[in-house]
Amino acid sequence: MSELVKYSTRDGVAIITVDNPPVNALSTGVPAGILAALKTAEADATVQAVVLAAAGKTFIAGADINDFLNVVAGKAELPVLHPLLHALEDSRKPVVAAIHGMALGGGMEVAMACHYRVAVPDAQVGQPECKLGLIPGAGGTQRLPRLIGPLKAAELCAMGDPIPAPEAVQLGAVDQIIQGNLVDGAVAFAKSIANRPAHKTRELTAKLAGNHSAGFAALREQVRKAKRNLNAPQVAIDAVELSTTLSFAKGIEKEAELFKQCLRATEAQALIHAFFGDRTVAKIPDVPKDTQAFPVRNIAIIGAGTMGGGIAMAFANVGIPVRIKDTQEALDRCLANARRNYENSVKRGRYTKEVMEQRMSLITPQTSYDGFDHVDMIIEAAYESMPLKRQIYSELDKIARVDCVLATNTSTLDINEIAVATGRPQMVIGLHFFSPANAMRLVEIVRGSATSKEVIATAMAVAKALKKVGVLVRNGFGFVGNRMMFPYMYEAQFVVEEGATPEEVDRALAHFGMAMGIFSVDDLGGLDVAARIREEQHQFDKPGLRKPLASDKLVALGRLGQKAGKGWYLYDENRKQTPDLEVVALIRKTAAEAHIPQRTFTEAEIIERTLYGLINEGARILEDGTALRAVDIDVIYLNGYGFPAYRGGPMFYADTVGLKKIYDKICEFREQHGARWEPAPLLKRLAEQGKTFASFDAEKAAHA
Ligand SMILES: NC(=O)c1ccc[n+]([C@@H]2O[C@H](COP(=O)([O-])OP(=O)(O)OC[C@H]3O[C@@H](n4cnc5c(N)ncnc54)[C@H](O)[C@@H]3O)[C@@H](O)[C@H]2O)c1
């Protein structure tokens, strides 16, 4: 047999084992290997039944997504699974899929073409293609409804979430749960059904009967809300609905057509870009994969405030013990918050009370530096003050082991200045977590000029251990994410001072797909925090630079945002937001006093004024090397700033709009609004050459 597919027999049962680590994807060679093994089993008179299983940690977890990219790039034809699936289904000997781990996408489609499916209790099955902007393309939308009914099948294909095996048994997608050894159980099951006539999934019709049109209409509406702005989930519903009106043969023909349409659409390209982005950011040209990272088995945190508490939970969640130092009062508050947070998860059934207690037991509160001399990493999350941080770092220098990584969670301060407060600046790095740190997936990893490669490798490994995505950035005010936020936020404020309302701006951004509008974001972060940064960084000291006016007035009125119950919006005790006419009146009055002409804005104009400023800054960041690649900026915005994944991140989005179009618009804005709209030189260059940010990344990779 092939390397990728193994064949053996036991007690008259052939066992076909897919062995294509790490996830047994259906890469080239795997379908052909299964087919060849099946032919061998059919030709062997001693074989009565067949088990299709997989080696390693999972059943077939899906297609090889690189294959899809090659199709889009015109380098390959779309791999077609139907001959294999028909061969499995037409086999004269019953075929049993033995599922552990995940049977997803193409893996589930293979399993459904088998005559039976058995699974271990913690296995999961599903059709998650819509998460990549696709639909099942190998009969999934036609076989699944025949097994579990069209409405449930449409729901699973449109939502994309896998279901646990016991639920799949109830629905009819899996026939039996196997306790104990899966292959042993599957062989026993195969023997028990060997002489029974096996049904072909594609010929089942019972569950398709009835009129489902009202159910489909309701589902479309539900999915429209849950999957805002997304097309693939709706197409998945269309495809499943076709199973109720077309023959199987016509159904898979139509499914293939719809799949190809989805694959070529921007939605899929963006989601696939985001999917591979997570992997790309792990590649750091001057820190090779084999760089020796320091082991991080335990950590300590300084500061048990908003960030320190969240970071402690993030480590406890993955079983890493944490010491946390602050005042007794701050520690009490921090532990009470952590407990409340965990209790809510227990109430929602995410895990048991025992798991919660185990996580709580990993967090040791303390008011002293006791034990800090033993830990592998210390993360400082004290107030944002350079003198305080320098003081803390000079103390740590006396306590911490020489091989202890010293990380700071600062969001605005200079890592180099903090690092030189120690005698070992090579051990100092920024770990910029996002709030709430136990939930947010992004960590900006900030390298100082002295940070060692081993310390960078350690920080990347820690982000991975926390199940987060670490993106390496260079030191510099606001790093990547926050630096791009400034032009975005200020332009939004100028737009409201020119006649729009905060609600209109936020609505336009929500329609675009941002998780939160920029004024809601400002209210969450605190208007006073933003004002302090404006002040400390002298952001508007340059003569002739337009300064936002209304936000300072809101701060003076005590409208500091959510924490004050009012900011750009009003908030009730449940933090429910409502627009406030008083704010609009204050903005209008401010604009009148400053003689700012008033006008109305379309949503498209609002998006251009706000997001093009953000993209322009992104181009500067790319050029000055603060971010390694455009895709790194995208990953930061997708995971830390609520940028919609189906737009691929701001730089990918810019490529889809066209850099020339964006550049021309920015030049127009410069004519209208002055120097703050100076186009980034890189943007100008790429636009003039007809290139994209993606091509910039590709050229950089080629020279690395
Ligand atoms: N809040 C955010 O959204 C956010 C996001 C990213 C980064 N940050 C950064 O994280 C850091 C902490 O921010 P926060 O929002 O958690 O602040 P916070 O005010 O909620 O908490 C700071 C805590 O540090 C404690 N502290 C001060 N000096 C200390 C010392 N010498 N030893 C021990 N504890 C000490 C304080 O008692 C307080 O409990 C800051 O550098 C901030 O810029 C904040």
Side-chain angles (χ1 to χ4, degrees), residues 323-328 331 364-372:
R323 294 173 176 278
I324 182 160
K325 172 190 176 282
D326 206 317
T327 59
Q328 193 56 52
L331 291 167
T364 308
Q366 54 188 67
T367 54
S368 71
Y369 280 127
D370 271 1
F372 274 50

Side-chain angles (χ1 to χ4, degrees), residues 612 615 650-666 683 686-688 690-693:
Y612 287 9
I615 291 163
M651 310 314 272
F652 183 91
Y653 169 68
D655 282 350
T656 63
V657 174
L659 297 191
K660 174 79 170 69
K661 189 170 163 213
I662 293 183
Y663 171 69
D664 288 346
K665 189 48 108 181
I666 288 179
L683 177 64
L686 293 175
E688 284 171 353
K691 291 188 173 170
T692 57
F693 289 125

Side-chain angles (χ1 to χ4, degrees), residues 150-174:
L151 284 178
K152 195 69 201 170
E155 185 192 325
L156 292 188
C157 292
M159 299 307 287
D161 296 322
I163 52 168
E167 189 182 337
V169 171
Q170 277 172 8
L171 293 174
V174 168

Side-chain angles (χ1 to χ4, degrees), residues 94-116:
V95 185
V96 180
I99 303 169
H100 72 297
M102 304 268 197
L104 297 181
M108 184 59 182
E109 289 173 312
V110 169
M112 288 193 294
C114 297
H115 303 104
Y116 300 93

Side-chain angles (χ1 to χ4, degrees), residues 102-138:
M102 304 268 197
L104 297 181
M108 184 59 182
E109 289 173 312
V110 169
M112 288 193 294
C114 297
H115 303 104
Y116 300 93
R117 285 149 298 281
V118 298
V120 293
D122 64 353
Q124 298 201 318
V125 303
Q127 300 288 169
E129 288 84 348
C130 73
K131 302 215 166 174
L132 291 179
L134 301 170
I135 66 165

